[in-house]
Amino acid sequence: MSCLLAVWLAVVLSGIQAVDRSNFKTCIQSSFCKRMRDVVPGHSPYRALLETLELSNTRLTLQLINDNNKVRLLLELYRLQGNMTRLKINELKPLRPRFEVPDVLIADPPTEPLSLVSQDEGGVVLSLGADARHLVVSARPFRLDIVEGPHVLLSVNSRGLLAFEHQRPRKDTSSENDSEEVEAEEDAEDQNYEKEEDQADMWEETFKSHTDSKPNGPTAISMDFSLPGVEHVYGIPEHAENLRLKTTDGHDPYRLYNLDVFQYELYNPMALYGSVPVLLSHSTQRTMGIFWLNAAETWVDISSKAAENTDSVQAPSKVAQTDVRWISESGIIDVFIMLGPKPTDVFAQYASLTGTQSFPPLFALGYHQCRWNYKDQEDVRSVDQGFDDHDIPYDFIWLDIEHADGKRYFTWDPAHFSQPREMLQGLVDKRRKMVAIVDPHIKVDSGYRVHKEIRSKNLYVKNKDGGDYEGWCWPGTSGYPDFTNPEMRSWWASMFAYDQYEGSMENLYIWNDMNEPSVFNGPEVTMHKDALHGSWEHRDIHNLYGLYVQMATADGLIQRSGGVERPFVLARAFFAGSQRYGAVWTGDNAAEWSHLKISIPMCLSLGLVGISFCGADVGGFFKSPSSELLVRWYQTGAYQPFFRAHAHLDTPRREPWLFGPENTALIREAVRQRYALLPYWYLLFYKAHGTGQPVMRPLWVEYPEDVTTFTIDDEYLLGRDLLVHPVTDEGSKEVTVYLPGTGGVWYDAFTFQRHEGGQNLYVPVTMSSIPVFQRGGSIIPRKNRIRRSSSCMEKDPYTLYVALSPQGTAEGELYIDDGHTFNYEQKKQFVHRRFIFADSTLSSSNISPDSQFSTASWVERVLILGAHKPSSVTLKTSGGSVASLEFDFDEATSVLTVHKPGVNAGADWTLLFQW
Amino acid sequence: MQHNVNWLQALLVLSLSVTLGWTVEVQRPRGVPLTKRQFYDEAKPFTCLDGSRTIPFDRVNDDYCDCKDGSDEPGTAACPNGSFHCTNAGYRPTFIPSSRINDGICDCCDGTDEYNSGASCQNTCKELGRKEREALQKLAEITKEGFLLKQQLIEEAKKGQQEKQSRLSELQDSRKGHEDKVEALRTVKETAEQPEKEAKERHLKAWEEHKAALRLEKEKAKMAEVFLELDDNADGFVDVSELQTHQELDPDGDGTLTDTEAQGLLGGAHKVDSTEFMNMWSNMKEKYVSEVCPPTPSSYDSSHDEQKDSTSDKDQERDLDKDPDSVYPEDDLDEDAAGEDDEDDDDDDDHQVSLLFCIATPFIQPHHIFLSQQYICVCVYQRQYKIFMYTLSTVSSVCERERWCLLCNAALLPFSFRALEKEISFDFGPSSEFAYLYSQCYELTTNEYIYRLCPFNRVSQKPKYGGSETSLGSWGSWSGPEDNKYSVMKYEHGMGCWQGPNRSTTVKLTCGKETAVVSTSEPSRCEYLMEFTTPAVCLEPPNIDTQVHDEF
């Protein structure tokens, strides 16, 4: 859902987008953005005071001085384990402490020793360990360069855009003499200082009818980063934008400020529901990342140019360079530079800081049926029955805001959902689940327990005058729990206990919507920046609020099961680290082909910055899809991580069987493909959880030296082994699929036709086509007995799809556990197998010998793609038994099907092929 | 191995079924219906039922799919397109998709689908069978009674249909007569009133200047009317005998208008046409008295034939000549109203209109200076439950009132005609068994709303506690499935929804003794569903007893 009060109009005139951003700020309308952006590249006023340098084993500190106003800053540099550098800048003597983002890093990042290589009056050189990697600190002006051998990897403040608005007393109201303040001493000498004070909007600014009182005055920060040799940068979600970020010269920077945007527009830099301030750079040489740890409103400028190549002693040449500038409204500069060098290294580096994707219960990877709103229990029952009648599997049915009594979350509408347990039991009986929405705005109603308790515990966010902050949202006047407060989070978590959340059961999971937070009558449909979370302003923590909501909810679901069950929580707003708490979706999209298309780059961008469990509302939230669009969306959604259909209250019903038998069959087939591949999805999530590698990947992640892949965002990889090119154009008769990897091969996942890698493949499509390819050299397990829900398929056997490389080899993995508890982690109860096909032998071996789990599943069938006909196939089991197996060989497709090895999926075994 | 169901055991299951108190044992592979038993002979290799392949019999139900049609695995989930037969003794046997075998969910009431999943399924077949029998029995009773009622409805509809047909032809006749006369009046009048119309459009001053000329025109018109009035046989000539009906024209005052005298008035001719008559008129006009008011007719039809042409004020005629829409400016006898856009019309349009009474009362129109005494004539009608009136101004004499009522009634004819025609044209089902629903409305009150279904007309919803009515659709069509078209009614083009479609209602008809709306819901935004019971859909109950059929 979205705030209906916000209106967003766009007019496209002769190719120029003229957008009425009446509800949302542009950079110019956000005073700090304007002030910071007015700083132009040039000589930086900042100078490093080398005499203040202190180097301990783990960190370097150094004071910086702004020669214009003599304000001193403190720079801290850390060399972190795993090839990262952290850089922090704060005021040396701040009037008040500045906000440093808590709860995002999973731990204090472990450091490694920094050693001084050389020092002179121009600066110092520090060693960053191996590969002749150095950190060069230049003093005048202040600048940092990270170099590797002769190559500059990244420079900081090379364009002189470091700016740090120090805190200051308010001139018109303050009469005290703060003689100890540095700037006060220098006051008389410096005229620029006076000029600074005169700038408008520093102490108060008004946007539309909302005035932001800024009692702490200007506190913005800005910093530039240069990336020589880089032409492609990615990340900083959430934007409705292509995968590859565009330069922002001449228009607004990309904005990161969690907002409830009504009917968002595509291909522009406006802020959306979530923010992850992580930017990735990629070239054939190296992949790196910049993590700007700041939760305030943030803008990111990107520009590119051809720079002088000063790297080498040879004749200077032009190389591409991308420059990035970060601007935030408050807090400190706290930056993690992740040096890669490979994409997988950057993912691992970022994961080591903020954690990995939570490992969802297996059923959360199934299909989710949602709508605003299933009206009553009978409606739920009949939709559930509809899936059985039409033989379409699903795992979750969802209830939106109308299910609660007057939008009082944690309650049930007495007229329409009077017997929630009965309803949930009905789903238990079908081995299915439900998700109910619990939003973080609480109806102000003295008869509502949740409100009463939060108020009596004094846990609401406060307005600037100290009273409980109130805004409008779905229930009318609402309070907003202060989720930054651990006490609030812990109380919230306790609300999910079965005896607290009346009517809830084990198969009820949670959806946190509106957690930007959405405030219908607030500035930009969100909370006033001068609202207070304890001693911090909302300004400081804004982008973090949504993460805390999801964190507290996920904790609640874990706690209600006594720490046994894995939670599933969907949230709309997110921040760096949100991956640890559940899934996100791309918010209130629309039933338009363009929205289907953009779901790919939007989820790819999130995957690059750790959030793998991403999806878009299948069918589109607003408006009503044509049956063609709906079918194509199911086909696309079936191959995206979070697979949920959703629709606005005012749209006609669109359960999969309402579009005629033909379309029902097409949708059924797409959903069935999803279920067949659940073992692969589960493995990918297990690995994402373990390593931070994204589930849904841009092609360049696996083919980092193939420049063709750098801008592709209409197709993607699932893991390494499946390439998906969904049909996202109306009336498509063909798609052109780029198959990467020269010298390799790909197999059509359904016809098993073999195609060479490194080519654009023209693929004719019909309405039933979903172009999916399996990489030659991979082994993918599927479960081909599609049942009502994923739980029903738990004990079913596997079919292994062995796609041979041109060298006749293949490799793959299988992961099995109970599907829903933490026992895999706490008790090592899981099966993790490696399958290797080489030298005419397919073997299954244990990757994790210390794990233990017994599965009922077995191996039903093995398909060898790209094979030739063997004379015999022999199965050897660990017990030493040897059996000859029956097989079929299809000459036309070169597919060898081995019948019924019948071995347990957790066992060691070998198949021997005699050719 | 764990997966290895003891399939040898599973292969041959003992099927127990109880019917009529005797027990049989039939051995066959799990999931095979009796009817296909002969294809599964354990002594022979098994040939897939599609003939595609033959396999050793021990591979039937071995949890591996060999046949493309799934026929080798009737009792396991191995084939994606297989199906499992539940014997369900005591209830109805059924097939379930193979994917529901051993999925932990009890699908067959005898629990046979969950033989190796750990799910503990109760055998609920007997209970279900009992319940179903009870329900069927109840249904049979309802059907039986309902079907009897339906026969009556068909009988009534037959009679009603005949009545309507004959009334329609009557109306057709009278309409014809009426149309002829109105046409005649119109021709005369058009020539006469054109100049006045034009003049009236001008300023009042100009109007005054033309007054004299207009008087002349008026005179001409009057003359034309008289001509028409005199021309009793409507042959376009006024002859001596026709003139003799007006004894007041007697020139010598002896009270008798002789042939000679009449011929003299006609300028010596035996008969004159209207042009010639114009010259004669001045001799007659002083004396001429319009024909007397005919007796007040009780209905148009009974008086029509005696009706004689008579003089009339042209204002009256003008109004009569207008299309029905403007003749009845206050009411809703809208030609196009039938189920189309104007919702308020719908209720009444399909009903015949009857004239209750006419009165005339003196009325002075200040601006019509050339007209002396006027009467306002009010005709009061009834249409279904609604009383409405048509006010007609400027009737020049009380006696004309009588004629007016007559004409009012005549003007109503097209409406009665159309309504009847429409009613007759409705598809009231194969035996017109739904005809009784026409003109009726049925209501259902829920927590919040009162729903109203007027079959073949409209569906509406009104808040229980005040608030305006919302149209949920007007009669669209029968829209049941091809083989059962009369099971669903569709009402469309109701009030529009915000950002959504126009409201529409689907009415599902089920057999019942009562005619009633039994439930309403809104399965999708602005798409309503009503359940409606009526004897008219009750099918003839089968002669044989409706017993639950057990397998053998």
Side-chain angles (χ1 to χ4, degrees):
Chain A
M1 282 154 303
S2 174
C3 168
L4 301 177
L5 303 178
V7 178
W8 171 256
L9 293 169
V11 183
V12 179
L13 294 169
S14 57
I16 300 159
Q17 272 201 334
V19 178
D20 172 10
R21 303 187 165 201
S22 64
N23 271 296
F24 302 104
K25 291 181 183 178
T26 59
C27 177
I28 276 183
Q29 290 168 316
S30 197
S31 74
F32 78 90
C33 184
K34 181 179 182 307
R35 289 197 304 275
M36 293 293 106
R37 229 188 177 197
D38 284 346
V39 177
V40 293
H43 188 81
S44 175
Y46 285 96
R47 178 160 54 88
L49 302 170
L50 292 178
E51 64 277 18
T52 65
L53 185 146
E54 287 177 35
L55 181 64
S56 74
N57 195 27
T58 58
R59 74 166 189 175
L60 173 147
T61 60
L62 182 62
Q63 289 179 24
L64 308 178
I65 187 164
N66 180 340
D67 278 330
N68 289 341
N69 60 16
K70 305 300 177 209
V71 176
R72 290 190 186 201
L73 303 176
L74 182 68
L75 166 75
E76 296 172 69
L77 289 170
Y78 301 85
R79 176 184 161 207
L80 302 183
Q81 280 179 16
N83 203 12
M84 288 182 283
T85 301
R86 182 181 192 176
L87 143 75
K88 280 173 87 168
I89 301 176
N90 199 346
E91 291 177 65
L92 180 65
K93 292 181 179 173
L95 271 183
R96 302 164 208 88
R98 297 178 66 116
F99 186 71
E100 299 190 33
V101 178
D103 300 312
V104 166
L105 301 179
I106 49 173
D108 262 349
T111 56
E112 287 187 303
L114 266 176
S115 56
L116 199 60
V117 175
S118 66
Q119 178 172 14
D120 58 23
E121 69 278 13
V124 294
V125 177
L126 301 150
S127 169
L128 291 173
D131 299 334
R133 209 173 297 123
H134 295 120
L135 178 57
V136 181
V137 182
S138 307
R140 193 181 282 266
F142 166 66
R143 165 181 174 141
L144 293 176
D145 293 276
I146 296 175
V147 301
E148 189 176 83
H151 301 290
V152 177
L153 304 181
L154 176 142
S155 308
V156 178
N157 201 32
S158 56
R159 291 191 297 152
L161 297 174
L162 167 62
F164 207 112
E165 290 183 330
H166 60 280
Q167 296 171 85
R168 61 204 79 186
R170 189 168 183 165
K171 286 267 161 142
D172 50 351
T173 55
S174 164
S175 56
E176 305 141 44
N177 288 322
D178 295 324
S179 56
E180 74 277 9
E181 279 181 46
V182 180
E183 64 269 31
E185 290 165 20
E186 320 287 346
D187 210 348
E189 312 168 13
D190 200 326
Q191 292 149 350
N192 288 337
Y193 180 75
E194 288 299 322
K195 273 187 204 159
E196 263 179 27
E197 288 293 323
D198 287 340
Q199 282 192 43
D201 294 338
M202 275 186 168
W203 295 90
E204 184 177 284
E205 70 181 281
T206 299
F207 176 67
K208 302 193 77 182
S209 60
H210 299 283
T211 297
D212 176 18
S213 73
K214 297 197 279 188
N216 298 337
T219 54
I221 53 176
S222 161
M223 178 74 101
D224 69 270
F225 301 83
S226 293
L227 296 157
V230 168
E231 285 180 82
H232 296 86
V233 290
Y234 308 91
I236 55 170
E238 181 177 17
H239 299 100
E241 179 60 292
N242 283 116
L243 175 64
R244 182 201 179 183
L245 299 172
K246 299 185 175 97
T247 63
T248 58
D249 299 326
H251 49 86
D252 259 17
Y254 287 102
R255 189 183 189 202
L256 294 172
Y257 192 58
N258 297 355
L259 292 175
D260 178 357
V261 181
F262 178 70
Q263 295 191 346
Y264 60 79
E265 280 215 351
L266 308 187
Y267 305 107
N268 79 38
M270 285 181 64
L272 287 179
Y273 312 93
S275 303
V276 183
V278 176
L279 179 133
L280 268 58
S281 69
H282 178 71
S283 69
T284 52
Q285 305 298 309
R286 180 180 283 273
T287 309
M288 292 192 294
I290 300 170
F291 173 25
W292 174 268
L293 180 51
N294 189 298
E297 180 184 341
T298 295
W299 299 78
V300 184
D301 256 323
I302 294 166
S303 57
S304 64
K305 65 180 177 197
E308 292 294 324
N309 184 354
T310 53
D311 285 357
S312 69
V313 286
Q314 292 153 14
S317 58
K318 295 278 187 186
V319 293
Q321 173 170 318
T322 295
D323 295 317
V324 181
R325 175 195 348 209
W326 296 76
I327 298 169
S328 289
E329 186 175 13
S330 67
I332 63 163
I333 294 175
D334 189 359
V335 185
F336 298 81
I337 294 159
M338 300 173 283
L339 294 171
K342 294 283 163 235
T344 52
D345 298 323
V346 176
F347 301 139
Q349 285 155 3
Y350 181 63
S352 75
L353 298 173
T354 65
T356 59
Q357 177 64 53
S358 65
F359 187 31
L362 173 60
F363 40 78
L365 299 176
Y367 171 62
H368 299 255
Q369 180 66 36
C370 185
R371 157 166 203 92
W372 176 25
N373 208 108
Y374 288 119
K375 294 179 334 173
D376 52 27
Q377 292 179 204
E378 174 52 28
D379 200 2
V380 169
R381 197 204 56 75
S382 80
V383 171
D384 177 75
Q385 187 56 43
F387 278 92
D388 287 346
D389 292 345
H390 298 90
D391 203 18
I392 300 171
Y394 91 99
D395 271 86
F396 276 90
I397 186 163
W398 291 51
L399 295 181
D400 209 323
I401 53 172
E402 311 297 330
H403 86 277
D405 180 11
K407 281 89 174 176
R408 293 171 187 86
Y409 308 109
F410 299 105
T411 71
W412 303 85
D413 182 289
H416 302 108
F417 294 94
S418 59
Q419 304 297 328
R421 283 174 156 271
E422 199 176 276
M423 171 177 63
L424 288 164
Q425 186 59 48
L427 293 169
V428 169
D429 293 344
K430 294 277 193 74
R431 308 186 74 177
R432 288 172 177 147
K433 334 280 173 199
M434 174 170 268
V435 167
I437 199 165
V438 175
D439 285 353
H441 49 259
I442 303 299
K443 186 177 177 70
V444 173
D445 168 5
S446 56
Y448 177 31
R449 181 168 74 97
V450 176
H451 167 70
K452 266 194 313 200
E453 290 202 25
I454 296 173
R455 174 161 281 183
S456 72
K457 291 173 192 293
N458 200 26
L459 290 173
Y460 274 128
V461 174
K462 305 293 180 211
N463 61 36
K464 66 179 165 55
D465 304 315
D468 283 351
Y469 179 88
E470 285 182 357
W472 297 345
C473 212
W474 297 121
T477 303
S478 304
Y480 291 78
D482 185 0
F483 283 95
T484 67
N485 183 336
E487 196 190 334
M488 176 64 228
R489 295 201 296 273
S490 130
W491 183 84
W492 182 265
S494 75
M495 276 303 293
F496 292 94
Y498 298 119
D499 58 347
Q500 295 295 309
Y501 188 169
E502 282 174 33
S504 68
M505 280 175 48
E506 294 81 353
N507 67 334
L508 180 68
Y509 294 81
I510 303 299
W511 173 17
N512 294 148
D513 197 2
M514 317 297 278
N515 57 330
E516 294 77 21
S518 178
V519 181
F520 291 167
N521 60 336
E524 302 189 86
V525 205
T526 192
M527 193 171 275
H528 292 73
K529 283 178 172 171
D530 52 11
L532 294 168
H533 302 256
S535 56
W536 299 111
E537 283 192 288
H538 185 68
R539 180 186 336 277
D540 298 313
I541 67 95
H542 176 85
N543 285 344
L544 201 50
Y545 188 86
L547 174 142
Y548 276 132
V549 174
Q550 196 180 14
M551 174 197 278
T553 305
D555 281 350
L557 295 193
I558 295 170
Q559 283 172 28
R560 73 174 185 181
S561 72
V564 172
E565 299 288 329
R566 284 179 248 161
F568 171 71
V569 181
L570 176 75
R572 191 170 67 182
F574 50 81
F575 189 65
S578 283
Q579 68 269 20
R580 305 194 298 263
Y581 307 111
V584 304
W585 89 109
T586 61
D588 299 344
N589 61 0
E592 289 168 7
W593 289 92
S594 57
H595 277 260
L596 168 59
K597 203 182 278 284
I598 207 152
S599 69
I600 299 171
M602 287 181 80
C603 280
L604 284 174
S605 294
L606 278 162
L608 288 176
V609 298
I611 300 178
S612 267
F613 206 0
C614 168
D617 285 347
V618 170
F621 177 68
F622 292 112
K623 305 185 183 174
S624 195
S626 66
S627 54
E628 184 189 354
L629 175 57
L630 186 69
V631 167
R632 290 300 189 200
W633 213 316
Y634 269 97
Q635 293 174 339
T636 304
Y639 288 90
Q640 290 180 354
F642 176 55
F643 182 25
R644 181 187 74 152
H646 187 34
H648 189 275
L649 183 67
D650 287 324
T651 58
R653 291 288 281 247
R654 55 167 100 130
E655 282 68 46
W657 49 87
L658 296 176
F659 297 82
E662 232 168 86
N663 292 311
T664 305
L666 291 168
I667 293 171
R668 177 190 300 122
E669 176 55 24
V671 179
R672 289 172 67 94
Q673 288 181 18
R674 169 63 167 227
Y675 276 77
L677 278 166
L678 280 178
Y680 185 62
W681 282 104
Y682 199 48
L683 171 72
L684 293 181
F685 269 90
Y686 176 70
K687 297 184 87 166
H689 174 65
T691 65
Q693 304 301 307
V695 168
M696 183 174 165
R697 299 174 192 168
L699 268 56
W700 62 259
V701 167
E702 295 297 333
Y703 300 87
E705 289 169 20
D706 181 353
V707 291
T708 315
T709 64
F710 292 4
T711 54
I712 290 178
D713 62 6
D714 57 355
E715 65 181 56
Y716 53 91
L717 293 164
L718 294 175
R720 289 172 65 200
D721 300 336
L722 279 186
L723 183 146
V724 187
H725 188 118
V727 180
T728 58
D729 285 307
E730 187 168 17
S732 276
K733 295 280 180 282
E734 87 287 323
V735 294
T736 303
V737 179
Y738 180 69
L739 296 174
T742 308
V745 293
W746 294 86
Y747 297 85
D748 185 299
F750 308 108
T751 66
F752 309 126
Q753 196 185 342
R754 182 180 144 130
H755 304 283
E756 299 296 319
Q759 62 155 332
N760 278 307
L761 181 69
Y762 170 92
V763 181
V765 297
T766 64
M767 270 316 290
S768 63
S769 310
I770 314 179
V772 178
F773 300 86
Q774 184 177 344
R775 187 177 60 83
S778 67
I779 300 175
I780 291 180
R782 294 193 208 175
K783 280 190 175 180
N784 286 338
R785 302 183 181 188
I786 312 302
R787 305 201 190 234
R788 262 185 281 228
S789 70
S790 65
S791 300
C792 293
M793 293 163 62
E794 183 190 348
K795 295 174 181 168
D796 281 341
Y798 294 91
T799 295
L800 303 182
Y801 288 75
V802 180
L804 296 182
S805 68
Q807 295 73 39
T809 60
E811 197 176 328
E813 292 174 37
L814 172 65
Y815 174 84
I816 308 171
D817 62 13
D818 64 21
H820 57 98
T821 71
F822 285 109
N823 291 347
Y824 76 98
E825 207 169 54
Q826 294 159 354
K827 301 180 182 169
K828 291 238 152 209
Q829 291 181 356
F830 61 86
V831 167
H832 194 181
R833 311 292 305 178
R834 170 167 289 122
F835 303 119
I836 293 176
F837 188 101
D839 304 325
S840 300
T841 304
L842 173 64
S843 63
S844 167
S845 59
N846 195 350
I847 293 179
S848 177
D850 57 342
S851 68
Q852 211 174 9
F853 184 70
S854 82
T855 174
S857 296
W858 47 286
V859 180
E860 176 176 32
R861 197 183 283 108
V862 176
L863 266 66
I864 317 275
L865 316 183
H868 40 270
K869 189 173 183 175
S871 54
S872 75
V873 180
T874 313
L875 170 70
K876 272 192 189 171
T877 60
S878 53
S881 72
V882 178
S884 179
L885 297 182
E886 195 178 323
F887 59 87
D888 287 329
F889 182 73
D890 185 339
E891 296 280 354
T893 56
S894 300
V895 175
L896 170 64
T897 304
V898 180
H899 295 198
K900 210 179 178 191
V903 287
N904 186 278
D908 287 339
W909 51 267
T910 309
L911 280 186
L912 302 168
F913 297 81
Q914 301 266 315
W915 310 102
Chain B
M1 260 165 279
Q2 219 169 338
H3 77 276
N4 266 340
V5 177
N6 192 343
W7 57 264
L8 275 177
Q9 201 176 353
L11 178 65
L12 300 171
V13 298
L14 188 67
S15 271
L16 288 175
S17 283
V18 184
T19 309
L20 303 170
W22 50 271
T23 306
V24 288
E25 295 177 10
V26 179
Q27 286 193 323
R28 57 200 145 121
R30 195 192 296 275
V32 174
L34 255 193
T35 51
K36 289 194 177 152
R37 186 185 143 215
Q38 71 271 21
F39 302 118
Y40 296 84
D41 182 348
E42 62 197 280
K44 292 188 213 157
F46 174 74
T47 301
C48 304
L49 297 189
D50 63 1
S52 59
R53 199 169 170 191
T54 298
I55 52 172
F57 193 79
D58 64 3
R59 283 168 57 172
V60 171
N61 277 346
D62 71 339
D63 209 12
Y64 184 85
C65 192
D66 293 292
C67 298
K68 280 213 167 80
D69 65 354
S71 57
D72 64 316
E73 298 293 319
T76 78
C79 293
N81 50 351
S83 60
F84 176 88
H85 183 260
C86 312
T87 304
N88 289 350
Y91 189 57
R92 259 178 293 131
T94 186
F95 287 95
I96 60 166
S98 288
S99 65
R100 294 179 192 174
I101 299 168
N102 288 330
D103 67 349
I105 300 162
C106 308
D107 290 286
C108 305
C109 64
D110 61 9
T112 50
D113 58 319
E114 296 301 312
Y115 58 87
N116 191 33
S117 69
S120 63
C121 300
Q122 307 293 318
N123 187 329
T124 57
C125 293
K126 273 188 185 160
E127 179 64 13
L128 284 173
R130 191 180 59 75
K131 277 188 185 157
E132 192 182 60
R133 272 191 297 276
E134 279 172 13
L136 282 176
Q137 212 152 23
K138 212 170 165 187
L139 193 68
E141 278 163 32
I142 291 173
T143 309
K144 204 170 147 192
E145 286 179 54
F147 189 70
L148 283 177
L149 288 170
K150 182 180 176 178
Q151 300 311 308
Q152 290 172 21
L153 290 175
I154 291 172
E155 270 312 300
E156 282 164 26
K158 219 180 267 172
K159 276 185 219 154
Q161 198 74 2
Q162 282 162 0
E163 275 167 30
K164 278 175 221 153
Q165 275 302 351
S166 62
R167 178 155 166 70
L168 188 70
S169 40
E170 275 172 34
L171 280 172
Q172 255 161 344
D173 292 346
S174 46
R175 186 182 187 182
K176 181 80 175 68
H178 167 78
E179 275 168 1
D180 289 349
K181 185 157 53 186
V182 169
E183 188 49 40
L185 283 169
R186 181 183 286 128
T187 319
V188 171
K189 197 167 50 59
E190 267 169 9
T191 34
E193 74 187 4
Q194 193 54 32
E196 182 190 355
K197 259 189 189 164
E198 286 167 10
K200 268 194 168 177
E201 283 157 16
R202 293 172 207 139
H203 193 268
L204 187 62
K205 218 172 182 180
W207 169 246
E208 291 288 345
E209 286 166 14
H210 285 278
K211 211 155 69 176
L214 279 169
R215 277 211 183 98
L216 190 63
E217 293 298 331
K218 192 168 149 66
E219 193 72 355
K220 267 190 194 171
K222 177 85 177 168
M223 182 277 295
E225 281 156 30
V226 169
F227 180 84
L228 206 63
E229 201 173 85
L230 286 171
D231 182 13
D232 288 339
N233 61 4
D235 64 349
F237 295 95
V238 171
D239 60 21
V240 168
S241 62
E242 285 168 339
L243 205 58
Q244 278 172 329
T245 59
H246 285 257
Q247 293 297 322
E248 75 274 17
L249 297 174
D250 179 22
D252 59 5
D254 67 354
T256 318
L257 183 63
T258 65
D259 285 6
T260 322
E261 284 170 338
Q263 205 165 341
L265 285 171
L266 293 176
H270 184 67
K271 57 179 184 180
V272 294
D273 64 13
S274 58
T275 325
E276 292 162 333
F277 184 73
M278 206 181 296
N279 300 322
M280 316 301 154
W281 174 237
S282 54
N283 301 329
M284 292 184 250
K285 66 176 180 187
E286 298 305 320
K287 287 185 181 170
Y288 184 80
V289 174
S290 186
E291 290 173 21
V292 289
C293 295
T296 307
S298 56
S299 79
Y300 181 85
D301 303 283
S302 60
S303 65
H304 180 255
D305 295 332
E306 298 109 49
Q307 167 68 22
K308 303 276 186 229
D309 292 338
S310 63
T311 54
S312 63
D313 189 287
K314 61 172 106 174
D315 283 349
Q316 297 166 359
E317 287 153 24
R318 179 162 61 244
D319 282 340
L320 258 186
D321 263 13
K322 289 179 181 170
D323 26 321
D325 289 10
S326 51
V327 173
Y328 306 101
E330 317 225 9
D331 75 38
D332 9 52
L333 282 171
D334 181 345
E335 287 266 14
D336 304 319
E340 288 188 25
D341 30 33
D342 191 0
E343 289 167 26
D344 290 337
D345 291 340
D346 302 348
D347 264 350
D348 306 301
D349 192 56
D350 297 332
H351 301 287
Q352 295 192 25
V353 185
S354 59
L355 181 66
L356 291 181
F357 58 86
C358 267
I359 53 163
T361 173
F363 174 72
I364 306 299
Q365 256 189 326
H367 298 302
H368 287 210
I369 44 174
F370 55 91
L371 295 173
S372 52
Q373 192 182 15
Q374 302 285 314
Y375 291 85
I376 180 162
C377 187
V378 180
C379 297
V380 178
Y381 303 92
Q382 178 178 20
R383 197 162 55 178
Q384 208 189 8
Y385 309 115
K386 212 165 170 183
I387 306 286
F388 61 100
M389 57 186 184
Y390 167 53
T391 309
L392 178 79
S393 62
T394 67
V395 180
S396 58
S397 75
V398 175
C399 81
E400 285 184 354
R401 180 198 64 176
E402 309 294 344
R403 215 167 65 80
W404 251 108
C405 290
L406 197 71
L407 292 175
C408 280
N409 215 344
L412 288 171
L413 261 178
F415 300 104
S416 306
F417 183 75
R418 198 174 54 236
L420 201 61
E421 211 171 40
K422 189 173 164 189
E423 189 178 341
I424 288 170
S425 73
F426 262 112
D427 179 359
F428 289 128
S431 312
S432 294
E433 61 268 43
F434 298 100
Y436 81 107
L437 297 172
Y438 192 77
S439 307
Q440 303 298 312
C441 291
Y442 303 90
E443 288 190 346
L444 179 74
T445 304
T446 65
N447 287 340
E448 289 163 276
Y449 296 101
I450 299 167
Y451 290 88
R452 190 158 185 243
L453 166 66
C454 303
F456 305 106
N457 188 355
R458 62 192 303 243
V459 183
S460 62
Q461 173 201 55
K462 199 175 171 174
K464 206 161 152 188
Y465 307 107
S468 57
E469 195 179 71
T470 303
S471 166
L472 305 185
S474 301
W475 169 249
S477 60
W478 289 106
S479 52
E482 239 168 74
D483 56 340
N484 196 8
K485 180 182 160 195
Y486 297 98
S487 60
V488 178
M489 290 172 154
K490 188 85 189 162
Y491 293 80
E492 298 155 326
H493 307 297
M495 196 179 274
C497 275
W498 183 78
Q499 279 208 338
N502 281 31
R503 287 172 175 80
S504 64
T505 303
T506 300
V507 179
K508 281 192 178 162
L509 283 70
T510 51
C511 168
K513 287 184 277 182
E514 312 290 330
T515 302
V517 178
V518 291
S519 78
T520 64
S521 58
E522 189 184 355
S524 187
R525 190 112 172 126
C526 301
E527 289 174 16
Y528 295 81
L529 178 68
M530 246 180 202
E531 288 186 78
F532 186 64
T533 59
T534 163
V537 292
C538 294
L539 298 174
E540 184 165 14
N543 286 330
I544 48 154
D545 271 6
T546 49
Q547 281 290 320
V548 177
H549 176 70
D550 295 335
E551 200 183 44
F552 53 84

